[in-house]
Amino acid sequence: MITIDNAYGKHDFKVTGVVDESLGRTQIHANVFITMNSGGMGQYVRSNTMWAGNNFTNSFIKLRPDANVEALEQKLPAFLNKYGADQMKQMGMSKQLHLQSLTSIHTSSGYDVEPGKTVSQSFLYILILIAVMIQVIACINFMNLSTARASKRAKEVGVRKVIGAGQADLVKQFLGESFLLSFIGVLIALPLLILAMPYLNQITQANIQLSFFSDYRLWLMLTGLILVTGFVAGSYPAFYLSAFEAIKVIKGNFTNKVSAAGIRRSLVVFQFVLSIVLIVGIIVIYSQLNYIKNKDLGFDKGQKLIFSFYTGDTQNKMPAFANDLRQLSEVKNVTNANNYLSQFVGQDHGVYPTGGNMATSIDAQNITTDEHFVNTNGIKILSGRDFHINDSLKVLINETLAKRLGFTPQTAVGQRLYTQYPPNPLTYVEVAGVMKDFNYSSLHGEVKPFMLVYSHNPGDFSYIVASTDSKSYKDLLGKIETIWHKDLPAVPFEYAFLDAEVQRQYDTEITLSKIINSFTIMAILISCLGLFGLAAFSAEQRNKEIGIRKVLGASVTGIVGLLSKDFLILVIVALLIATPIAWYGMSKWLQAFAYKIDISWWMFALAGVLAMFIALLTISFQAIKAALANPVKSLKAE
């Protein structure tokens, strides 16, 4: 038997089982599971019909194997009408029910109060797209280098054709070599992946275990990756090399009907298009995150400490702890509330002014708090006044709610707002003041109608927020911990910083930024490897030309510029192609934010300059090496 003490009182429970979470994946990570038939919250819920209008539970239904999901979903409106529609109509509310597959919950973001962490499907698609882009860049490198070094294998092709090999035989040979290289690449990649797993988990905020290697689907995917990569990377070189005419090749003429130089240039352009798109992605995401970090949210998130109180006993001790906090010189303000800014606001009321009714009410999210909330959080009041101690039935509303109710910030002050939750009688509150709109929730959405409801009852509060001014948080937290253990000796000392809680709202974007940073560097390095090889090949092909130019007086700078010019032109072409693609992709990504930056020309200019600098840095070594070579050796060489 164990005793659980929460906001609904102390209750004894019998342990009937222990859950082993390692047996399978789950969205629900809880320390204790309690039936709603039990005492505590379950008893409270059953005795209060007002909960009919809330969405605080997650319901799971196991269907029979022969059940028709679509047919069942069509029955849900009638089911809802039978059990709760009348009450919701009286509250001016409506609701719809739908079914969701259990396996899709983890990748279906956008729902409030999910039982566990979810991942946006668009986020997963971006990861897959980045992986494909890197793989394509690697394949392009293989194609370019294989065709560029075709002269080294031309005579082999000629001899094989002379002794009877057909084009199909040669295609099989070269594709086989490509498949073999892909297979060897996977063998080398797997141990590297195991070594990189801690870093991968860190930047993706995931918890991938090595046990995933036991999943047969992984090996099917790797097999498919080998086959697709081998075919994509090896197909063009195979058909290009096998198309050589035997007699011409043996005589030293390595040309065929396919324009290899033109295709190589096209592939280099495509390669840098992908790299520039990734660079633009980094710039836009960083700019948006920086905008979020520095945007004025309408309240002060800095130097705020949050303390949580969940049980009846601890809530009763909140006034003593708050008073002790106020005695510390580093603490400026202390407030009690049932929520704190940036956390999901699950409490809402339908409100309407005098002369209205529930059918036309405005749904307003709200936080119950005391007279110190506004000052502690740095919220600005446009008209009216802040809460006074022992205010009765007073609220502060934001600009959005005032406008939705048909008032200006000035005329809203003193208005009565009515609300009703059956079977409770009609009640009202009076507007004491109007707050300037502030982003109490994520910048992904617009500011909604919102109000602060006054209370002086400790049982209505679950959090204390303290505004501090300290140069040494280590010392301050040590003092607060001493006070905590004095006032709440049986409760572990825990706290959070408000600015960190605000930042958590953008975990997905921060993770995406880290991933794109890492993989863009990888993509650029792979692109540079291919460009380095092509620069070496180009310098080798123009070896005699460079020697003649040097003999005739060409400078090292002039030759370096000559060899670099062609590649830089390709990068400029890639920038022109990548700009609309990157603009479209990042515009779609920014649509997830109600408050966002404007995509500016300088972002594309910066990406282009970086791409040109990287390309120039890559080819300069080979260009300078060729320019400094002794022209006598190149002119004498056969």
Side-chain angles (χ1 to χ4, degrees), residues 29-103:
H29 298 279
N31 295 321
V32 179
F33 293 90
I34 306 174
T35 65
M36 293 187 71
N37 305 349
S38 309
M41 183 176 179
Q43 183 178 4
Y44 181 77
V45 170
R46 293 199 313 278
S47 63
N48 284 268
T49 55
M50 64 172 285
W51 287 101
N54 267 323
N55 301 295
F56 77 106
T57 60
N58 293 276
S59 301
F60 296 88
I61 303 171
K62 185 174 182 179
L63 304 183
R64 295 195 305 266
D66 60 341
N68 186 314
V69 177
E70 291 76 14
L72 175 60
E73 198 160 31
Q74 291 175 1
K75 298 177 181 178
L76 294 180
F79 174 83
L80 188 61
N81 288 334
K82 181 179 179 181
Y83 289 102
D86 291 338
Q87 289 182 345
M88 286 185 287
K89 286 178 181 177
Q90 293 178 47
M91 293 184 286
M93 299 175 63
S94 64
K95 182 178 291 189
Q96 292 179 333
L97 297 179
H98 70 95
L99 299 177
Q100 180 184 20
S101 170
L102 185 68
T103 55

Side-chain angles (χ1 to χ4, degrees), residues 559-605:
I559 292 173
V560 171
L562 176 71
L563 295 174
S564 304
K565 181 181 67 175
D566 291 342
F567 291 104
L568 293 181
I569 291 173
L570 297 180
V571 175
I572 293 173
V573 173
L575 175 63
L576 295 176
I577 297 173
T579 296
I581 298 173
W583 178 86
Y584 175 78
M586 298 317 299
S587 296
K588 295 289 286 184
W589 180 76
L590 286 171
Q591 286 178 4
F593 296 88
Y595 303 89
K596 52 183 178 288
I597 62 169
D598 293 323
I599 299 179
S600 181
W601 65 268
W602 66 264
M603 298 176 179
F604 303 98

Side-chain angles (χ1 to χ4, degrees), residues 292 295-299 301 437-441 443 502 506:
I292 290 171
K295 185 184 184 300
D296 181 10
L297 300 177
F299 68 92
K301 63 183 178 182
D437 276 346
F438 58 94
N439 295 96
Y440 59 90
S441 190
L443 293 176
V502 171
Y506 311 103

